[in-house]
Amino acid sequence: MSPTNQPLIIAGRSFRSRLILGTGKFSSPEAMRAAAEASGAEIVTVALRRADLSGRKDPFANILEFISPEKYLVLPNTSGAMNADEAVRLARLAAAAGLPKWVKLEIHPDPRYLLPDPVDTLKAAEVLVKEGFTVLPYLNADPVLARRLQDVGTATVMPLGSPIGSNRGLQSRDQLRIILEQATVPVVVDAGLGAPSHASEAMELGADAVLVNTAIAVANDPNRMAAAFRLAVEAGRAAFEAGLAPHQDTAAPTSPLTAFLD
Amino acid sequence: MGNPSAPSQPPPSTPAAFVIANGRRLECPLPCSLAELLVAQHLPPRSVVVEHNGQAVAPSEFARHQVQSGDRLEIVKIVAGG
């Protein structure tokens, strides 16, 4: 596929790939590294967790040995934070670790649906933007909240397609369309993209990028799935830039409707 | 009237020095630097970040930060996640 799609620009930084990869749920750090390579992603998310102080060996001991900050923009998420205060603390810890001062702001206190808390997300976004972070907030596909987050200066908005790990695609598409119409920052559809066709659909609607984790990590062949998502994102974006034909209620013939044999 | 042959009482014990690390009491010889504490816990200093009494501390500062008894530490690693 010819790489003529326009670059993605977030906070003044240019990216060729519009597929952001999450690193969770892979069978091994090596599998994760290989899938990242196959995906063509340039931005890769990581998380922060309390270190195990019991002395047991931690298999994911040093993820930065597998995802090099030289090669990727390593984007810490604040997943695990139950409220704005914890999210802000995690972001500051990630910055202290030497990661770029970017943060995927993710606050989902309810473990059953992992839906992002809108109130604390907005509170934390405001604090972190003021502290000079490039903030990429994860939110439900709420167009009003998306505008509020833009207004406090987030670098993107990241509305969900469907709940994390549910693989149900763009259940939020009606709301996403409104966000896409009104956004003044890049829109990254994040969560619930279970198949490459879901990613393509998001890009065809006009999303600037997508974030995928589960669908690639749990595939039988994560490298092939990563490559499939890469193609899907490129195809969807190319279609969007090329100009999709409009929906209509009635048919519009493609062959002449004159009498065939007069 | 004390009995000269009775065993002497042990001296009053000094309370063990401890910090609250990741929400749990951790006894350790104090004072020491953050770097020394991490090494004593078998945590390579480069693999973690630490919040010391609410303040995020960069690994380059670990040797300079002194830990006192009762300090609160959050010792955090970068791990896989979406």
Side-chain angles (χ1 to χ4, degrees), chain A:
Chain A
M1 194 149 313
S2 87
T4 54
N5 293 344
Q6 292 165 22
L8 168 68
I9 313 238
I10 298 178
R13 221 172 129 157
S14 181
F15 302 93
R16 287 178 318 272
S17 168
R18 292 174 179 271
L19 173 58
I20 300 175
L21 182 67
T23 56
K25 293 183 177 168
F26 283 90
S27 57
S28 69
E30 292 81 5
M32 182 260 296
R33 174 175 53 197
E37 180 75 40
S39 72
E42 293 166 292
I43 305 172
V44 164
T45 62
V46 294
L48 294 145
R49 280 294 176 276
R50 280 176 161 175
D52 182 350
L53 301 181
S54 71
R56 280 192 306 253
K57 187 156 167 48
D58 181 353
F60 275 82
N62 205 356
I63 191 179
L64 297 184
E65 289 173 21
F66 298 90
I67 294 291
S68 163
E70 321 273 300
K71 183 168 173 180
Y72 296 98
L73 192 161
V74 178
L75 175 63
N77 74 27
T78 64
S79 161
M82 294 284 131
N83 53 50
D85 176 68
E86 288 181 9
V88 168
R89 286 163 65 194
L90 281 173
R92 290 175 185 153
L93 280 165
L99 292 177
K101 217 168 160 189
W102 287 45
V103 61
K104 175 183 165 182
L105 179 54
E106 188 173 342
I107 303 173
H108 38 62
D110 166 32
R112 184 170 164 88
Y113 294 103
L114 295 176
L115 293 174
D117 181 313
V119 177
D120 275 50
T121 298
L122 185 60
K123 270 162 70 171
E126 209 162 3
V127 172
L128 289 171
V129 166
K130 286 200 177 102
E131 291 185 12
F133 281 85
T134 298
V135 178
L136 289 72
Y138 173 60
L139 70 155
N140 211 323
D142 176 344
V144 178
L145 177 59
R147 289 183 89 157
R148 295 290 301 271
L149 285 163
Q150 277 173 191
D151 289 346
V152 304
T154 60
T156 66
V157 289
M158 312 235 286
L160 61 86
S162 50
I164 294 170
S166 70
N167 298 316
R168 300 214 303 271
L170 299 191
Q171 295 206 300
S172 63
R173 59 177 60 75
D174 288 343
Q175 306 282 82
L176 282 176
R177 282 197 189 96
I178 301 173
I179 293 175
L180 287 163
E181 181 189 312
Q182 300 185 330
T184 56
V185 295
V187 178
V188 181
V189 177
D190 175 15
L193 301 177
S197 55
H198 301 161
S200 272
E201 186 189 354
M203 300 308 293
E204 287 167 18
L205 285 177
D208 296 274
V210 297
L211 196 158
V212 179
N213 190 165
T214 298
I216 293 174
V218 308
N220 290 338
D221 186 339
N223 291 353
R224 271 196 98 181
M225 187 60 77
F229 268 94
R230 176 183 191 161
L231 290 168
V233 170
E234 288 174 9
R237 181 63 186 187
F240 174 76
E241 290 182 16
L244 285 153
H247 283 206
Q248 27 185 98
D249 290 334
T250 54
T254 54
S255 308
L257 278 187
T258 53
F260 179 53
L261 291 172
D262 247 347

